[in-house]
Amino acid sequence: MRRTIRHTTLALAALTLALAGCGNQTDSGKGGDGNNVSSSPTPRKSPPASPAPSPSGGCTRASTLGAADSGRTVCLAVGDTVRISLDGTAKRPWKPVTASGSVLRAANSGFVLQPGDASAAFKAVADGKTRLESTRPLCAAQSGRVSCLGIQEWWVTVVVK
């Protein structure tokens, strides 16, 4: 009897540790093909070089932005170009990235290779402050099923000096 209790206790402890490890998985953000929803941002395909701190403080210099940069403030000099690459899926596509105001001008961003991705480039043409934005559905639309109407927002404030 004592041997069975020890084996059961060990088995339960191993199961508890295994299940605790499952809770540490992160959503890739690409999702939409399953029923899981995560508010975590979409990671970049390849990690960019770490942004250099700006001498003015408050924002950092960056030449490439991805979904993980949402909510950041970045600095550019007039003439600099910033490239944006947001990884989506056909079921959860990103809308085209937009810039408000006249501080940035759209530039050639190249090709978008995957359905649902958003790719953009903007050249800084004047001093000022603007906001880059995009959105995508929080949940994948599935015909014949109830769907959520949530939207994942992406935005970055750009300061041009």
Side-chain angles (χ1 to χ4, degrees):
M1 179 90 169
R2 211 170 255 261
R3 183 177 203 145
T4 304
I5 293 174
R6 255 189 256 167
H7 286 247
T8 304
T9 304
L10 287 175
L12 285 174
L15 180 61
T16 302
L17 290 174
L19 290 176
C22 292
N24 291 332
Q25 295 176 348
T26 58
D27 182 12
S28 70
K30 295 281 275 184
D33 297 334
N35 293 328
N36 296 333
V37 175
S38 172
S39 61
S40 64
T42 308
R44 301 171 212 248
K45 283 185 179 176
S46 60
S50 74
S54 169
S56 64
C59 62
T60 56
R61 292 215 175 269
S63 60
T64 58
L65 299 171
D69 295 309
S70 186
R72 285 186 53 202
T73 299
V74 297
C75 289
L76 298 175
V78 173
D80 287 351
T81 300
V82 63
R83 298 189 176 281
I84 299 101
S85 179
L86 302 175
D87 299 327
T89 65
K91 291 183 179 183
R92 292 184 57 213
W94 284 104
K95 299 249 188 217
V97 178
T98 59
S100 58
S102 59
V103 174
L104 300 176
R105 182 181 66 213
N108 184 358
S109 65
F111 295 102
V112 175
L113 301 176
Q114 296 292 324
D117 288 357
S119 178
F122 293 92
K123 185 173 185 173
V125 294
D127 287 353
K129 190 175 184 180
T130 189
R131 185 170 159 140
L132 298 171
E133 299 177 310
S134 183
T135 60
R136 74 175 180 165
L138 191 57
C139 306
Q142 296 178 353
S143 60
R145 300 185 112 191
V146 175
S147 64
C148 73
L149 300 176
I151 293 177
Q152 179 181 358
E153 294 181 307
W154 178 89
W155 58 271
V156 170
T157 301
V158 178
V159 178
V160 179
K161 297 179 183 181

